[in-house]
Amino acid sequence: MNLRRLLWLAVGALALGLRAEQSGANPASTLWYEHPAKHWVEALPIGNGRMGGMVFGEPGAERIQFNEQTLWLGSERTKDMGGYQPFGDLFIEMPGHRVGVSEYRRTLDLDSAVSTVRYVHGGVTFTRESLASFPDGVIAVRLTASENGKISGAIRLADVRPNKSAADGASVSFAGSLPNGLRYAATARVIAEGGKVTRTNDRVTFTDADAVTILLAAATDYDRRPERGWRGNAPGTTIADRLARAAERKFSAMRETHSADHRSLYRRVRLDLGVSPTSMKSTVERLAAIAAGAPDPALATLLFNYGRYLLIASSRPGGLPANLQGLWNVEAKPAWFSGYTTNINIEMNYWLAETTALAECAEPLFDWVEMLAAVQKKSPDPLLKTDVGWIIYSTNNPFGGNTAWAIHRPGSAWLAQHFWAHAAFSANQTFLAERAYPLLKELVLYWDNRLVAGRDGALVTPDGWSPEHGPIVVDGKLVLKEGDRTPIAGVSYDQQIIWDLFTNFLDASAALERDAELRAKIAARRAKLLGPTVGRWGQIQEWMEDVDDPKDHHRHVSHLFALHPGRQISPMTTPALADAAKVSLNARGDGATGWSRAWKVNFWARLWDGDRAESILRGLLNPVPAGGRSGGSYPNLFGAHPPFQIDSNFGATAGIAEMLLQSHATSADGVQVIQILPALPAAWNSGSVSGLRARGGFEVDLEWRAGRLVSAVVRSRAGRSCELRYGGEIRRISPARGESYRWNAAAAK
């Protein structure tokens, strides 16, 4: 490393320390702003896995728009998709603070999971903290001031639907039901320290208080068990219990418990990619600066941390999986229903769960998939009938219902990949035997029965489509058409998912020593599958026929499933196909929607091209204003489809993890391969990461300088062997359960 570079880093670090001390903001874990949010995509998200809030931060008229993940229209029937519904708004009115405010700061601290608004009014410093507690099941807001007796205002609660709120004592509530009969309710309670609390018809007022805590609870009577008709406890009873328990606790204790719970997940992984002077600017300024070409590696770290924060906030055990917007939605008719779309979106939501040590956050996905399977098997819809296994439509809801837009036959197989991944990362034989293997086996039997002989005797799926565009037959020829779902045989997307399903089943069957005869049959069938094919211009063909258009820039790149999240194409094992995948990606381009760019980060990481992946990641951080129409990031770092889709955030975090560590390959003799820094970009010249997970039950810490590995620590959680690969060096290790192996590389020069 040259002297100029060292001097630049030292100056940057000094600037970081000074500015961080002044702002109280860690550039790798804090979003901060100098103005309140005017638009929803400028507000800051909080969530406890079930309830989510968007905090706007207006001093005189705070708005927290809130959701509860079970407030859904629709049913279990085909063509009754419904849609995820906004719940309501909590307003905190302090009219005297509409003007005369100075030193304003609005932040979201990802490490503590607390959103804070701080400002000066009349010489007094006012602080407003907002959090969504998983242990307590409520959203809590704390109002304090630097002088006693200075807090006066009121709260009101507004239903999105035409239901009136009513105040009772120190609480204000509303309740109602949706057209599908789902009942819902919400209550906000004021707990004042000092001063006076009064009520009117729809408001609770606090006057001259020293401090005020506001507790908000919301619930529905949704029950995820279809045998109960999707209905459970009355929402009023649920929220009364939660508020009663929360009201007994001091806010300081609630905040401590909340942050400790959050950190037990969040702090498992720590990433440091360095800082620059740009890193100390506000979030909006940082987005503008990186779009202009300024270096800010800490912004990539922030995006990585944000994805993990959002998954913790939107997907916790016992709840529903993160939907198309995670947990947060303000529209009564959200784009694409804010549902569960299985041709990329819900799967992308959980790519980061295993690699970044958030396996518990995937439990809602497993529960939902098993529920979905049960509903589809009993559905009267003739298009869902199967002799064994189950299939689904593209977009589904929490009841197992759907849009009827398109049958997505391989969707259940793609969802099953997550079960196998969890077993592979955790080395949990019980989960493999009791949940993953039965699911894999029934889907393998379905596809074994469905495959037909294609050209040259290869086995093909008879009637697939390539999401979300495909060819139609015109005068006997295939022609590309956006959104077409005309079924044709041997679609690459289908073929690659079935290869992945068969491979995962073979590995699971061998690990459990079950069904040897079926295993041998499926191995033979896999060998006959039509595999990825290189077309006339050097690309991976999207269809069995070579009709790909090199000028096609469609957002979906479904025919590269085999590269990621599959494991059929790799520079290590299939270099010719990897080169063809590069041709396809170059033709599609690096742009498109936010989630599409995030997928491309993962693609290029798997191709070991870190600079290309980082370049696309920078594009994913292009600032998009509210209502903007490009696939970058909104001011609050929500990914722009447009509109907002959270898979962009989750996919980006997964992509950064893939750039630093990969474990999808196995050696010739079946040993797990762990690739260290396979796609490290020049922009991340020096850094470290701890706590990343690898398949086989391994946890990995890495440190690098001047673009070269300094050390790697590999901890075994299952006592298995693995093969470490860095550059051209290979080491075979077999640490016992609980033991570590340290790789000390030559010092970087």
Side-chain angles (χ1 to χ4, degrees):
M1 186 180 297
N2 60 41
L3 183 60
R4 179 176 297 179
R5 173 71 175 167
L6 285 171
L7 181 61
W8 182 87
L9 286 174
V11 171
L14 179 61
L16 167 63
L18 291 175
R19 189 76 182 276
E21 184 177 353
Q22 294 170 355
S23 67
N26 181 335
S29 64
T30 308
L31 289 74
W32 69 273
Y33 307 82
E34 296 176 313
H35 304 283
K38 294 182 179 179
H39 304 281
W40 191 81
V41 291
E42 297 171 349
L44 294 174
I46 55 175
N48 64 12
R50 295 191 179 186
M51 282 187 72
M54 297 293 289
V55 183
F56 282 68
E58 182 65 47
E62 175 65 279
R63 176 193 180 193
I64 299 179
Q65 183 270 323
F66 65 95
N67 295 91
E68 202 277 347
Q69 65 178 184
T70 64
L71 191 68
W72 267 84
L73 292 166
S75 73
E76 73 275 13
R77 297 188 300 272
T78 295
K79 295 185 180 181
D80 192 16
M81 177 67 189
Y84 182 46
Q85 296 297 289
F87 215 110
D89 294 275
L90 170 66
F91 294 100
I92 305 172
E93 301 169 343
M94 301 178 71
H97 293 195
R98 293 182 186 274
V99 296
V101 168
S102 63
E103 300 180 39
Y104 179 92
R105 183 64 56 92
R106 177 170 61 101
T107 65
L108 175 62
D109 178 13
L110 305 181
D111 181 63
S112 65
V114 175
S115 176
T116 303
V117 174
R118 184 171 287 113
Y119 58 89
V120 174
H121 181 270
V124 178
T125 300
F126 291 86
T127 302
R128 184 182 304 155
E129 298 172 279
S130 302
L131 58 85
S133 170
F134 176 69
D136 287 295
V138 298
I139 288 175
V141 184
R142 176 72 166 175
L143 311 179
T144 57
S146 59
E147 296 181 15
N148 288 336
K150 294 294 184 179
I151 302 176
S152 297
I155 69 163
R156 62 185 179 90
L157 204 57
D159 188 351
V160 170
R161 292 145 291 276
N163 290 312
K164 292 184 178 181
S165 298
D168 181 11
S171 299
V172 59
S173 306
F174 65 75
S177 62
L178 298 182
N180 62 357
L182 190 77
R183 294 182 295 163
Y184 65 89
T187 297
R189 179 179 297 180
V190 171
I191 302 172
E193 298 170 27
K196 184 179 180 181
V197 175
T198 58
R199 68 175 176 86
T200 58
N201 290 336
D202 63 349
R203 282 172 170 78
V204 174
T205 301
F206 42 91
T207 308
D208 300 331
D210 300 333
V212 171
T213 299
I214 303 163
L215 302 177
L216 171 65
T220 77
D221 65 351
Y222 171 86
D223 189 301
R224 68 184 180 188
R225 290 167 288 190
E227 65 271 18
R228 295 193 174 189
W230 311 106
R231 299 295 182 266
N233 296 332
T237 301
T238 300
I239 62 178
D241 290 344
R242 290 176 184 167
L243 287 173
R245 289 195 301 269
E248 293 177 353
R249 290 162 53 77
K250 291 183 177 180
F251 179 82
S252 58
M254 182 183 298
R255 179 178 55 194
E256 182 177 353
T257 302
H258 156 72
S259 292
D261 167 73
H262 170 77
R263 285 168 174 155
S264 70
L265 297 169
Y266 181 81
R267 286 188 173 180
R268 289 176 181 173
V269 175
R270 295 175 185 263
L271 176 64
D272 179 6
L273 298 177
V275 297
S276 73
T278 302
S279 304
M280 301 319 304
K281 297 178 181 293
S282 71
T283 303
V284 171
E285 292 173 314
R286 293 173 75 180
L287 289 172
I290 200 170
D296 188 357
L299 189 56
T301 309
L302 181 64
L303 189 65
F304 174 86
N305 290 333
Y306 195 41
R308 297 185 71 250
Y309 167 88
L310 291 171
L311 188 61
I312 295 167
S314 61
S315 184
R316 288 294 200 106
L320 291 171
N323 62 42
L324 202 60
Q325 295 186 183
L327 185 62
W328 302 273
N329 167 48
V330 72
E331 301 292 340
K333 293 184 177 180
W336 303 283
F337 316 96
S338 196
Y340 302 112
T341 300
T342 62
N343 63 26
I344 178 70
N345 307 108
I346 188 172
E347 293 91 350
M348 182 181 282
N349 281 3
Y350 287 91
W351 286 348
L352 77 159
E354 303 295 341
T355 56
T356 72
L358 296 177
E360 297 94 328
C361 294
E363 290 183 21
L365 175 68
F366 303 141
D367 293 340
W368 177 78
V369 169
E370 289 169 340
M371 176 279 294
L372 185 65
V375 172
Q376 306 314 292
K377 290 174 183 178
K378 295 180 180 180
S379 174
D381 184 344
L383 295 181
L384 293 174
K385 293 295 183 183
T386 61
D387 293 328
V388 64
W390 53 285
I391 58 174
I392 51 179
Y393 283 89
S394 281
T395 303
N396 304 271
N397 66 26
F399 311 99
N402 57 74
T403 63
W405 178 70
I407 287 286
H408 181 216
R409 291 189 187 277
S412 50
W414 190 345
L415 289 170
Q417 184 194 57
H418 287 265
F419 286 71
W420 166 247
H422 180 70
F425 275 92
S426 65
N428 185 330
Q429 292 293 95
T430 301
F431 180 89
L432 177 62
E434 296 180 358
R435 300 185 73 177
Y437 188 74
L439 182 63
L440 291 167
K441 182 178 177 179
E442 67 175 350
L443 293 173
V444 160
L445 293 173
Y446 170 80
W447 283 103
D448 177 41
N449 291 338
R450 191 164 186 80
L451 294 172
V452 299
R455 64 188 182 200
D456 301 325
L459 294 177
V460 299
T461 59
D463 52 358
W465 57 289
S466 190
E468 286 180 6
H469 80 321
I472 59 174
V473 179
V474 178
D475 297 329
K477 295 182 180 180
L478 291 176
V479 180
L480 296 180
K481 182 181 178 183
E482 163 74 26
D484 186 73
R485 291 159 284 147
T486 303
I488 57 174
V491 173
S492 298
Y493 171 76
D494 286 10
Q495 298 294 131
Q496 294 170 14
I497 291 181
I498 303 315
W499 186 95
D500 187 78
L501 172 69
F502 282 9
T503 301
N504 296 339
F505 167 78
L506 294 174
D507 288 348
S509 173
L512 295 172
E513 298 181 345
R514 291 186 185 177
D515 298 314
E517 185 175 342
L518 177 60
R519 189 192 323 149
K521 177 185 178 183
I522 295 304
R525 299 280 276 178
R526 183 185 65 173
K528 293 183 179 180
L529 281 172
L530 176 66
T533 304
V534 179
R536 68 189 189 282
W537 45 279
Q539 87 285 9
I540 297 290
Q541 289 182 196
E542 189 161 1
W543 297 278
M544 190 160 57
E545 290 76 11
D546 192 358
V547 298
D548 301 59
D549 182 354
K551 297 181 180 179
D552 180 9
H553 301 303
H554 199 277
R555 64 193 176 276
H556 277 264
V557 199
S558 305
H559 58 303
L560 295 188
F561 176 96
L563 175 62
H564 183 279
R567 48 178 168 147
Q568 192 175 6
I569 296 177
S570 167
M572 181 190 302
T573 56
T574 59
L577 291 177
D579 287 341
K582 293 178 184 178
V583 173
S584 291
L585 285 170
N586 284 328
R588 284 287 164 93
D590 293 349
T593 59
W595 65 262
S596 179
R597 296 185 191 209
W599 198 2
K600 291 167 186 174
V601 172
N602 287 270
F603 283 141
W604 285 106
R606 286 281 178 95
L607 290 169
W608 305 344
D609 191 337
D611 289 334
R612 185 67 171 273
E614 194 273 338
S615 174
I616 298 172
L617 195 66
R618 289 175 67 92
L620 196 58
L621 288 165
N622 281 337
V624 180
R629 303 298 297 174
S630 66
S633 294
Y634 290 116
N636 63 2
L637 292 189
F638 274 174
H641 174 80
F644 160 54
Q645 281 189 198
I646 204 166
D647 42 18
S648 172
N649 295 94
F650 292 149
T653 297
I656 292 170
E658 288 284 331
M659 294 165 73
L660 302 175
L661 191 75
Q662 295 178 18
S663 65
H664 54 282
T666 55
S667 64
D669 58 346
V671 173
Q672 186 68 60
V673 172
I674 299 177
Q675 295 168 270
I676 297 170
L677 301 179
L680 183 68
W684 303 347
N685 184 267
S686 297
S688 64
V689 65
S690 63
L692 290 179
R693 300 290 171 87
R695 293 166 180 84
F698 295 98
E699 183 177 313
V700 182
D701 301 344
L702 303 172
E703 183 181 357
W704 63 95
R705 287 199 303 270
R708 294 185 59 81
L709 179 69
V710 172
S711 67
V713 177
V714 181
R715 288 179 290 278
S716 174
R717 299 162 61 227
R720 297 183 178 182
S721 298
C722 70
E723 188 173 278
L724 302 179
R725 296 192 177 198
Y726 172 67
E729 190 171 356
I730 301 174
R731 300 184 187 183
R732 183 73 63 94
I733 65 171
S734 300
R737 183 192 301 268
E739 291 187 353
S740 300
Y741 173 84
R742 187 177 187 90
W743 181 329
N744 290 315
K749 297 182 179 179

